[in-house]
């Protein structure tokens, strides 16, 4: 408690206090460590005044202030977009709408953009890279729509591999724009498996554009579970304009922050806190942010030799940042400030001093609530809200939520917390439970077993957010 108080006190001395919590929601779009820097990108409510945003990272006893924070467009060297275009015969009449969508997006999105283009049908075919959307539009205009079907699932995996092999500029965001009139699952893959592989690859955002179809649970999931945008496109020009503006407005609104990472002990909990105009706070647990290899100098200068302190298994296709030496600090010491903002001169009036004292009290209360919310979410008493998205089987496309505070049972029995309609699953097939601060899953001796990411488990295994859990013929994507 003393350690938490020290952290809160240092934060309160720096930031204005909050008087109320914002009701709008925010989302952490991407966070990764690269070349001794931590890059974070957050999507904030439209009502937020971007000029009044502050950010801070709390890593153990360290409080780290950003070297730079701005919109993503102002901070990034370039944002890379790989356009995946469905070239099945049914897509031919939407060529003009697709080109208008991309041209409008090019004109509306801020910052320097680069594009790559690949067609998807019965196979994935990479066409080329373009520095300008006009060149991309010309390439799209020359495409022949003659594929018999569209293998969306395998094509997305190929697209992720493209980014695994691509050099990433310091802090650069990678995005996929998937344009298709629906998925065709002839390869035997499923959306859950694709999402699992996307999450295991270098960080990438998927924006899904569904063309003239009523619905597609998989297309929606690809966007939702990678923090992208889902939208629908018709042959009407207004549809292309509206959707392009929607995607551009979303990416233009990213709040980006870059932090210099000090040496941290393994297992140190890392939290990002964002204050909006001193009146609200969002907190995100970024302990598991991936560590990426360095492929370009940082925007602020040469890349230092110090590596990422956020602990995770490196993504395939990229080099791991070197391990840092442990530097855990004693619990009774005051927090260390990294890159602290320069304090302004203190007004010497009784009224202002009273207001400052009151702000510290109110701000402390808000920050305690915010930090405890993110750091206490794994406690048994409060439980964790699990979201299940079913892919495959009789319940394909269904989604539901269950709060985990002790254990949940999965199976066909009506007594199970997660009930499946699957002849290949046992009455009580699997158990999901909390052990300390970690979520685990175990098979209960079922006939067909329980798999995570396609691998059958024979003992309790950790269940991470976004994991693909297969029971019988049913695949559940578990997110929390």
């Amino acid at each position: 408690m003393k350690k938490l108080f020290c952290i809160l006190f240092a934060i309160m001395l720096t930031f204005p206090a909050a008087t109320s919590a914002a009701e709008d929601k925010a989302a952490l779009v991407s966070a990764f460590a690269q070349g001794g820097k931590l890059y974070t990108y957050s999507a904030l409510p439209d009502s937020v005044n971007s000029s009044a945003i502050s950010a801070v990272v709390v890593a153990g006893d360290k409080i780290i202030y950003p070297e730079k924070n701005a919109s993503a467009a102002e901070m990034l060297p370039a944002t890379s977009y790989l356009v995946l275009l469905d070239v099945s015969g049914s897509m031919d009449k939407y060529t003009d709408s697709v080109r208008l969508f991309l041209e409008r997006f090019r004109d509306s999105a801020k910052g320097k953009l680069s594009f790559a283009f690949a067609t998807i049908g019965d196979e994935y075919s990479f066409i080329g890279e373009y520095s300008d959307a006009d060149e991309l539009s010309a390439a799209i205009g020359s495409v022949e729509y003659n594929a018999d079907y569209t293998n969306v699932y395998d094509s997305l995996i190929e697209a992720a591999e493209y980014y695994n092999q691509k050099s990433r500029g310091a802090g650069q965001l990678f995005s996929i724009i998937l344009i298709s009139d629906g998925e065709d699952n002839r390869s035997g893959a499923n959306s859950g498996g694709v999402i699992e592989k996307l999450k295991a690859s270098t960080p990438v955002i998927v924006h899904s554009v569904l063309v003239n179809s009523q619905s597609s649970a998989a297309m929606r999931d690809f966007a939702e579970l990678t923090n992208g945008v889902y939208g629908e496109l018709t042959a009407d020009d207004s549809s292309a304009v509206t959707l392009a503006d929607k995607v551009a407005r979303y990416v233009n609104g990213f709040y980006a922050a870059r932090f210099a990472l000090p040496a941290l002990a393994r297992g140190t909990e890392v939290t990002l806190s964002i204050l909006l105009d001193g009146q609200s706070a969002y907190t995100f647990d970024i302990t598991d942010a991936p560590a990426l290899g360095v492929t370009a100098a940082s925007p602020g200068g040469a890349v230092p030799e110090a590596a990422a302190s956020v602990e995770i298994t490196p993504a395939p296709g990229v080099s791991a940042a070197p391990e840092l030496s442990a530097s855990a600090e004693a619990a009774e010491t005051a927090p260390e400030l990294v890159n602290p903002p320069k304090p302004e001169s203190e007004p010497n009036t009784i009224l202002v001093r009273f207001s400052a004292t009151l702000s510290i009290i109110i701000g402390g209360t808000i920050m305690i609530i915010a930090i405890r919310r993110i750091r206490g979410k794994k406690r048994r008493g409060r439980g964790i809200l699990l979201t299940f998205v079913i892919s495959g089987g009789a319940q394909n496309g269904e989604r539901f939520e269950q709060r985990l505070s002790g254990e949940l049972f999965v199976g066909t029995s009506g007594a199970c917390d997660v009930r499946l309609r699957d002849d290949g699953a046992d009455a009580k097939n699997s158990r999901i439970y909390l052990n300390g601060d970690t979520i685990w899953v175990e098979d209960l001796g079922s006939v067909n077993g329980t798999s995570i990411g396609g691998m059958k488990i024979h003992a309790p295994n950790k269940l991470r957010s976004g994991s693909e859990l297969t029971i019988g013929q049913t695949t559940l994507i578990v997110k929390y």
Side-chain angles (χ1 to χ4, degrees):
M1 186 66 190
K2 184 175 180 181
K3 186 188 302 183
L4 176 61
F5 175 77
C6 290
I7 293 173
L8 291 175
F9 184 74
I11 294 175
M12 288 184 290
L13 293 179
T14 305
F15 294 111
T19 57
S20 63
E23 296 180 356
D24 294 333
K25 292 184 178 181
L28 180 67
V29 177
S30 188
F32 52 87
Q34 184 186 30
K37 308 291 183 180
L38 173 66
Y39 297 88
T40 65
Y41 301 92
S42 308
L44 304 177
D46 291 338
S47 57
V48 170
N49 177 8
S50 59
S51 64
I53 302 176
S54 303
V56 64
V57 164
V58 178
D61 288 336
K62 288 178 165 54
I63 299 171
I64 309 169
Y65 296 96
E67 293 183 326
K68 183 174 182 180
N69 58 95
S71 71
E74 294 172 339
M75 197 170 95
L76 291 177
T79 303
S80 173
Y81 293 92
L82 171 58
V83 177
L84 299 185
L85 178 61
D86 181 347
V87 291
S88 58
S90 57
M91 286 284 295
D92 189 15
K93 57 185 176 182
Y94 300 105
T95 301
D96 291 342
S97 295
V98 170
R99 293 174 69 178
L100 177 59
F101 162 75
L102 291 170
E103 289 167 3
R104 175 76 177 192
F105 175 72
R106 182 271 316 272
D107 294 338
S108 303
K110 297 178 181 178
K112 183 179 179 181
L113 311 180
S114 62
F115 295 92
F117 178 41
T119 59
I120 58 175
D122 48 359
E123 63 181 8
Y124 170 93
S125 179
F126 184 81
I127 306 301
E129 297 180 339
Y130 309 92
S131 59
D132 185 83
D134 288 337
E135 298 174 353
L136 173 63
S137 181
I140 291 174
S142 63
V143 164
E144 295 183 2
Y145 296 86
N146 53 14
D148 294 330
Y149 68 97
T150 308
N151 190 342
V152 170
Y153 296 161
D154 287 347
S155 295
L156 268 176
I157 293 173
E158 292 276 1
E161 183 59 25
Y162 162 77
Y163 275 132
N164 280 338
Q165 302 300 325
K166 182 176 175 63
S167 295
R168 181 190 290 263
Q172 187 176 22
L173 286 177
F174 287 165
S175 298
I176 295 171
I177 300 179
L178 171 62
I179 305 174
S180 175
D181 59 0
E183 71 275 9
D184 190 319
N185 188 18
R186 299 191 189 186
S187 68
N190 58 66
S191 61
V194 174
I195 292 169
E196 190 77 13
K197 289 184 178 180
L198 285 174
K199 288 185 173 295
S201 71
T202 191
V204 62
I205 303 166
V206 178
H207 303 297
S208 296
V209 178
L210 182 64
V211 178
N212 201 40
S213 295
Q214 291 185 345
S215 65
S216 170
M219 294 278 284
R220 186 182 295 274
D221 288 343
F222 293 146
E224 275 190 12
L225 296 177
T226 62
N227 299 306
V229 173
Y230 169 81
E232 298 175 0
L233 183 68
T234 68
D236 185 359
D237 287 354
S238 63
S239 168
V241 171
T242 299
L243 182 55
D245 288 348
K246 177 182 178 181
V247 179
R249 185 167 57 252
Y250 177 69
V251 299
N252 289 345
F254 288 169
Y255 169 68
R258 186 182 76 225
F259 302 84
L261 285 174
L264 297 173
R266 279 194 174 277
T268 300
E269 190 169 355
V270 184
T271 301
L272 169 70
S273 293
I274 298 176
L275 277 73
L276 312 178
D277 201 17
Q279 296 184 3
S280 57
Y282 296 111
T283 53
F284 304 102
D285 185 350
I286 55 174
T287 305
D288 292 332
L292 308 180
V294 179
T295 57
S298 301
V303 176
E305 293 182 1
S309 62
V310 184
E311 178 184 353
I312 198 170
T313 301
V318 295
S319 302
E323 178 183 343
L324 294 181
S325 59
S327 62
E329 300 183 31
E332 299 300 319
T333 60
E336 176 184 346
L337 303 184
V338 181
N339 297 327
K342 295 180 180 179
E344 298 179 356
S345 59
E346 181 182 358
N348 191 23
T349 67
I350 295 176
L351 179 60
V352 173
R353 287 177 180 273
F354 173 77
S355 299
T357 302
L358 182 62
S359 295
I360 290 175
I361 295 172
I362 297 174
T365 303
I366 293 298
M367 290 304 297
I368 287 173
I369 294 172
I371 292 179
R372 282 186 174 177
R373 180 178 301 168
I374 189 67
R375 293 195 169 180
K377 73 177 183 178
K378 295 182 179 178
R379 296 175 183 171
R380 290 175 181 264
R382 298 186 59 183
I384 302 173
L385 186 63
L386 304 183
T387 300
F388 295 87
V389 180
I390 297 182
S391 173
Q395 295 165 268
N396 184 45
E398 292 184 15
R399 65 176 63 223
F400 51 89
E401 295 178 340
Q402 285 282 353
R403 187 167 292 279
L404 174 65
S405 57
E407 61 182 7
L408 297 174
F409 291 95
V410 185
T412 59
S413 169
C416 287
D417 304 280
V418 180
R419 188 178 182 183
L420 304 178
R421 300 193 302 274
D422 190 331
D423 293 337
D426 284 15
K428 188 176 284 189
N429 197 102
S430 312
R431 181 171 76 109
I432 299 173
Y433 64 95
L434 275 173
N435 184 7
D437 291 340
T438 305
I439 300 178
W440 295 78
V441 61
E442 67 174 343
D443 184 72
L444 299 177
S446 64
V447 173
N448 294 319
T450 303
S451 299
I452 298 179
M455 300 294 291
K456 186 172 291 187
I457 62 175
H458 302 283
N461 273 245
K462 291 182 180 180
L463 187 63
R464 301 183 184 277
S465 182
S467 292
E468 173 193 339
L469 189 64
T470 302
I471 298 172
Q473 300 299 316
T474 304
T475 297
L476 302 97
I477 302 167
V478 186
K479 189 173 178 64
Y480 57 89

